[in-house]
C-alpha cells in the first residue's frame, strides 16, 4: 500500500512540483499517471522511492514513512521498488543476460560484477526474468543489437529479477513505435496480474493508459485533477 497524505514537494528553487496530494494505491494496482509535460508526473512517482523528498505531509509505503528513512533504510526501500525509464539505462555493449545479472543483486560486491562472476542460482533467476518478458532467445545478444522494444524488455527483466513489490515506470513507451509500445504495455499488464506487482506508470498517451491500466490518475500543475477506473473514462481527460 502506498499512501500520500497532504503531500507537497517543493524544489530547492521554491517551485512546488506537487501540492496537496492525497491518494492511496493498493498492492497489485496498475495505475497510469497522465498529464501534460511539466504537470508533475515524474515528481509524483519519484517521491515514492525517495528520489525526491517531500516537503510537507506524509508518504507511507508498505507501512513505512518514506520521509523518515535514512541511508541504509532508503536502499532497503528501493530494493522493493523497481524503476524503469524512457531511456532504457542499459549497458549497451553487454549482453541482455549480463545487464540483468549485474543489476538484480544490489548488494553484490563490485568485484564480482566487474569479473562477471555469478552463481547458477543468479543466472537461473536472470534467465527466468528474460523468459517472463519473452526475450529468452536474446539472452546472449548484445543490447546494442536489440530493437527498442527488446531493450525495454531487458530493462523490465532487470527490474523483475529483483522481484520488487512495486514497479515505477517513467514514460517507458515514449520512445517506442506504436506497435511496440502496445506490446510493452501488455507486458506490464501481464506482470501486474500474474505477479501481483503494483505498477505506477507515467504516460502521456491517454489512449494507451486507458487500454492497459486499471486506474488513471490525472495530474495538472502538481495537483490530482482526476482519479478513477480506466474503464469509466470514455474520452481523453
Ligand atoms: P512531468 O513528468 O509531468 O513532465 P515533472 O514532474 O518532471 O513533470 O515536472 C513538474 C514541474 O516541476 C515542471 O514544471 C518542471 O519544470 C518543474 N521541475 C522539475 N524539476 C525541477 C527542478 N529540479 N527544480 C525546479 N523545478 C523543477
Ligand atoms: P563475457 O563477456 O565475460 O564473455 P558473456 O556476456 O558472454 O560474458 O556471458 C555472461 C554470462 O553468461 C557468463 O556467466 C557466461 O558464463 C554465461 N554465458 C555466456 N554464453 C553462454 C551460453 N551460450 N550458454 C550459457 N551460459 C552462457
Amino acid at each position: 500500500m502506498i499512501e500520500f497524505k497532504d503531500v507537497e514537494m517543493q524544489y530547492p528553487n521554491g517551485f512546488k512540483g506537487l501540492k496537496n496530494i492525497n491518494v492511496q494505491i493498493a498492492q497489485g494496482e496498475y495505475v497510469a499517471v497522465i498529464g501534460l509535460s511539466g504537470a508533475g508526473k515524474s515528481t509524483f512517482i519519484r517521491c515514492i522511492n525517495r528520489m525526491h523528498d517531500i516537503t510537507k505531509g506524509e508518504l507511507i509505503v508498505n507501512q513505512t514513512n518514506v520521509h523518515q528513512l535514512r541511508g541504509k533504510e532508503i536502499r532497503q526501500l528501493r530494493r522493493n521498488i523497481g524503476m524503469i525509464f524512457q531511456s532504457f539505462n542499459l549497458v549497451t555493449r553487454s549482453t541482455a543476460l549480463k545487464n540483468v545479472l549485474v543489476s538484480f543483486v544490489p548488494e553484490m560486491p563490485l568485484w564480482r560484477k566487474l569479473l562477471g562472476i555469478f552463481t547458477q542460482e543468479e543466472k537461473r533467476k536472470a534467465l527466468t526474468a528474460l523468459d517472463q518478458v519473452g526475450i529468452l532467445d536474446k539472452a546472449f545478444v548484445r543490447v546494442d543489437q536489440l530493437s527498442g522494444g527488446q531493450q525495454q524488455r531487458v530493462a523490465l527483466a532487470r527490474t523483475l529479477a529483483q522481484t520488487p513489490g512495486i514497479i515505477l515506470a517513467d514514460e517507458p513507451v515514449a520512445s517506442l513505435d506504436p506497435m511496440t509500445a502496445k506490446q510493452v504495455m501488455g507486458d506490464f499488464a501481464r506482470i501486474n496480474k500474474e505477479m501481483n506487482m503494483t505498477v505506477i506508470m507515467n504516460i502521456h498517451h491517454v489512449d494507451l493508459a486507458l487500454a492497459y491500466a486499471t486506474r488513471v490518475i490525472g495530474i495538472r500543475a502538481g495537483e490530482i485533477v482526476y482519479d478513477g477506473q480506466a474503464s469509466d473514462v470514455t474520452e481523453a481527460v
Side-chain angles (χ1 to χ4, degrees):
M1 164 81 100
I2 299 167
E3 184 169 17
F4 285 70
K5 291 186 200 169
D6 298 319
V7 168
E8 175 193 285
M9 186 276 165
Q10 186 170 344
Y11 281 104
N13 69 355
F15 181 84
K16 287 181 182 165
L18 294 178
K19 292 176 276 194
N20 195 27
I21 300 287
N22 283 288
V23 72
Q24 288 186 358
I25 297 169
Q27 186 61 42
E29 288 200 70
Y30 183 169
V31 180
V33 181
I34 61 171
L36 301 175
S37 177
K41 304 184 295 296
S42 290
T43 310
F44 176 76
I45 67 166
R46 279 160 204 242
C47 285
I48 297 169
N49 67 352
R50 218 15 223 280
M51 280 171 84
H52 290 321
D53 224 340
I54 64 170
T55 44
K56 264 192 203 160
E58 269 184 46
L59 172 53
I60 315 283
V61 176
N62 299 335
Q63 282 105 43
T64 52
N65 195 327
V66 172
H67 187 56
Q68 287 170 356
L69 301 180
R70 298 287 167 263
K72 197 181 162 196
E73 298 164 325
I74 295 175
R75 283 197 295 280
Q76 228 152 5
L77 171 84
R78 288 181 184 159
R79 212 164 289 164
N80 188 41
I81 304 179
M83 182 97 192
I84 303 267
F85 301 91
Q86 174 177 352
S87 56
F88 318 117
N89 287 13
L90 299 169
V91 181
T92 53
R93 294 177 51 177
S94 283
T95 62
L97 176 61
K98 225 170 191 178
N99 270 273
V100 177
L101 279 171
V102 296
S103 314
F104 82 88
V105 189
E107 62 271 32
M108 186 187 283
L110 184 61
W111 66 267
R112 276 186 57 201
K113 286 191 193 183
L114 291 174
L115 292 175
I117 297 174
F118 307 101
T119 65
Q120 285 302 319
E121 174 63 11
E122 287 163 351
K123 196 163 145 188
R124 192 191 57 76
K125 271 196 195 169
L127 290 170
T128 301
L130 288 168
D131 196 19
Q132 281 165 338
V133 294
I135 52 164
L136 184 58
D137 60 327
K138 305 295 179 199
F140 301 106
V141 177
R142 267 171 58 147
V143 161
D144 54 13
Q145 287 163 16
L146 299 176
S147 70
Q150 290 165 341
Q151 290 190 30
Q152 191 58 297
R153 288 196 177 97
V154 175
L156 191 50
R158 185 179 56 181
T159 298
L160 285 181
Q162 295 176 39
T163 55
I166 300 167
I167 297 182
L168 306 177
D170 201 348
E171 295 283 3
V173 300
S175 60
L176 304 178
D177 64 82
M179 188 69 153
T180 312
K182 279 185 188 168
Q183 288 166 357
V184 172
M185 290 298 286
D187 285 341
F188 276 98
R190 197 164 38 75
I191 285 154
N192 160 255
K193 262 215 187 88
E194 288 173 6
M195 304 169 83
N196 196 40
M197 281 185 195
T198 307
V199 175
I200 305 176
M201 175 187 293
N202 289 347
I203 178 162
H204 62 265
H205 288 101
V206 178
D207 50 345
L208 281 180
L210 296 179
Y212 290 92
T214 49
R215 178 176 173 187
V216 173
I217 293 178
I219 297 193
R220 188 171 61 205
E223 294 189 86
I224 293 180
V225 292
Y226 180 83
D227 184 358
Q229 296 301 306
S231 54
D232 291 342
V233 183
T234 52
E235 53 190 76
V237 287

